[in-house]
Amino acid sequence: MDLDLSAVEPFRAEVRDWLRRNVPAAPLPSLETEAGFAAHRAWERALAADRLSVVSWPEAYGGRDASPLEWLVFEEEYYAAGAPGRVSQNGINLLAPTLFAHGTPEQLERVLPPMAAGEVIWAQAWSEPGAGSDLAALRATATRVDGGWRLNGQKTWSSRAAFADRAFGLFRSDPAAERHRGLTYLMFPLDADGVTVRPIGRLDGKPAFAELFLDDVFVPDRDVIGEPGQGWPVAMSTAGNERGLTLRSPGRFLAAADRLVALWRENGADPLLRDRVADVWIKARAYRLKGFETISRADDIGAEASVNKVFWSELDVALHETALDILGADGELEGDWLEGYVFSLAGPIYAGTNEIQRNVIAERVLGLPREGRGGR
């Protein structure tokens, strides 16, 4: 693992300068509102205009052919600058890597450029009532018809779906097959005939998620990712990116840990909280080193992505809990830290609950026996 970053410093300087000149002086409205979603879409277009929305992609699809190390550097600078959240993250961080691994040349040429430009924002339509972490329990169906498929069923907690343009999801195309077989991975428009989008109400009034009701929604064959009936391994490719570095890069936590240290100093540097602040700071940098190790490997980290997911989700909670303890009663009035804390509590749940991830780590990384097969 080569930790000499001198070769990427010119790229770092370019990104830092661009962000200094272009990051909005005032925070954009929440991307979980209609007005905020539109503002963040415009920000994506600004990034894309200078090929900074997807730096690691090939130039043909709107990227820069940046190396994995340059991508990590971009992420560090992006979060350090306090740049807006990425409203396109479901597409660029989850669907795009899946298409690079399993998509056709036609799909890459058709789907990726408008995704990179912020013209098409994608929702993740996986979970269903009764099928969350146990995704294989899904019941929404895809039925073969002439020229494509008919989708029926319900998806819930669909990220970005309240305002997004298209969605990707997994559907049962062979009801007689075993749980992890007979599944097909499909893309579909959210404004298609038969699609009902129902935002899920929250106490804060921000419809971050939506339920999707699908009633005989036609999807052409060209929108199947991978082979029909073989959607599970394609979905696990997406899940690996969701749990690994792609969705939650080290730069996110480096910047937050530095903010935490500054907050601690500004509020009197309470010695009783010093060890907790230091622990978060150290773990954020350990995650950075793990990122370097990950990108230096030639192989896919596979089930080890579950280790990443447990680590960063628990780090996020600890970071924000510490910030609120530093602020004391004032924490109830401090919007950014409080909102970050509330969101962090979802981290151990989304992308597969941490309980499920620990099973994956035990069985697939450590090789321990499954419960009921010689172990407990």
Side-chain angles (χ1 to χ4, degrees):
M1 184 168 55
D2 183 1
L3 295 182
D4 181 5
L5 303 182
S6 59
V8 298
E9 287 308 309
F11 178 70
R12 183 191 293 277
E14 177 191 352
V15 171
R16 182 178 295 173
D17 179 65
W18 190 94
L19 291 167
R20 179 185 57 79
R21 290 183 287 105
N22 289 279
V23 169
L28 299 181
S30 171
L31 59 81
E32 297 177 349
T33 64
E34 186 172 7
F37 200 93
H40 282 77
R41 189 194 291 264
W43 169 252
E44 293 293 329
R45 290 171 177 156
L47 285 168
D50 287 316
R51 291 185 175 268
L52 288 172
S53 63
V54 285
V55 295
S56 63
W57 289 13
E59 291 185 5
Y61 305 128
R64 289 193 174 206
D65 283 308
S67 68
L69 181 57
E70 287 174 318
W71 174 77
L72 283 177
V73 164
F74 172 84
E75 291 284 294
E76 289 181 6
E77 293 301 322
Y78 191 87
Y79 284 101
R86 301 299 302 274
V87 72
S88 61
Q89 69 174 12
N90 287 334
I92 63 176
N93 293 335
L94 302 181
L95 180 58
T98 305
L99 286 171
F100 281 124
H102 300 279
T104 65
E106 186 275 335
Q107 288 173 333
L108 297 176
E109 293 173 5
R110 172 168 54 92
V111 174
L112 294 184
M115 182 192 297
E119 297 169 2
V120 176
I121 305 297
W122 289 81
Q124 184 181 21
W126 279 27
S127 297
E128 300 180 9
S133 291
D134 185 12
L135 183 61
L138 63 85
R139 293 179 292 177
T141 61
T143 304
R144 170 71 80 179
V145 295
D146 185 29
W149 305 80
R150 291 285 180 186
L151 307 184
N152 286 278
Q154 180 184 354
K155 298 289 184 177
T156 193
W157 301 114
S158 299
S159 304
R160 302 283 191 270
F163 309 115
D165 305 297
R166 293 178 62 85
F168 55 92
L170 198 61
F171 296 84
R172 191 162 298 285
S173 53
D174 182 359
E178 298 178 12
R179 277 167 44 89
H180 296 89
R181 301 181 184 277
L183 300 169
T184 299
Y185 200 125
L186 291 142
M187 302 177 286
F188 59 96
L190 290 172
D191 62 354
D193 291 341
V195 176
T196 299
V197 179
R198 182 181 298 168
I200 296 175
R202 301 193 323 191
L203 291 176
D204 63 6
K206 298 174 183 177
F209 304 95
E211 296 176 285
L212 304 178
F213 298 90
L214 309 172
D215 183 15
D216 273 346
V217 178
F218 177 76
V219 176
D221 283 322
R222 70 175 189 161
D223 282 338
V224 173
I225 302 177
E227 294 297 323
Q230 302 298 315
W232 186 257
V234 182
M236 291 305 96
S237 173
T238 306
N241 287 290
E242 189 173 21
R243 296 166 187 164
L245 292 177
T246 309
L247 185 65
R248 294 289 178 258
S249 70
R252 176 190 180 102
F253 301 102
L254 289 171
D258 286 344
R259 287 177 55 223
L260 179 68
V261 171
L263 180 73
W264 176 70
R265 288 173 174 161
E266 290 165 4
N267 285 268
D270 185 345
L272 296 178
L273 291 169
R274 179 181 55 200
D275 287 352
R276 288 172 60 187
V277 173
D279 185 63
V280 165
W281 189 90
I282 290 168
K283 286 179 176 176
R285 276 146 186 79
Y287 188 45
R288 183 187 193 225
L289 294 177
K290 175 60 178 174
F292 289 143
E293 188 271 341
T294 298
I295 65 171
S296 71
R297 293 169 52 169
D299 61 325
D300 186 346
I301 66 172
E304 287 185 33
S306 293
V307 179
N308 272 7
K309 196 271 173 172
V310 171
F311 186 88
W312 60 247
S313 61
E314 294 187 347
L315 171 60
D316 206 17
V317 173
L319 190 156
H320 286 88
E321 282 183 342
T322 303
L324 293 184
D325 285 344
I326 291 171
L327 290 165
D330 290 341
E332 297 182 19
L333 305 176
E334 212 293 325
D336 288 345
W337 285 112
L338 181 60
E339 186 168 342
Y341 170 68
V342 172
F343 183 79
S344 75
L345 296 178
I349 300 172
Y350 66 77
T353 65
N354 282 7
E355 290 78 9
I356 295 295
Q357 300 315 306
R358 287 188 170 89
N359 284 346
V360 172
I361 295 165
E363 296 167 9
R364 302 181 195 172
V365 179
L366 301 178
L368 299 177
R370 297 182 62 181
E371 185 174 359
R373 297 186 182 181
R376 292 180 61 82

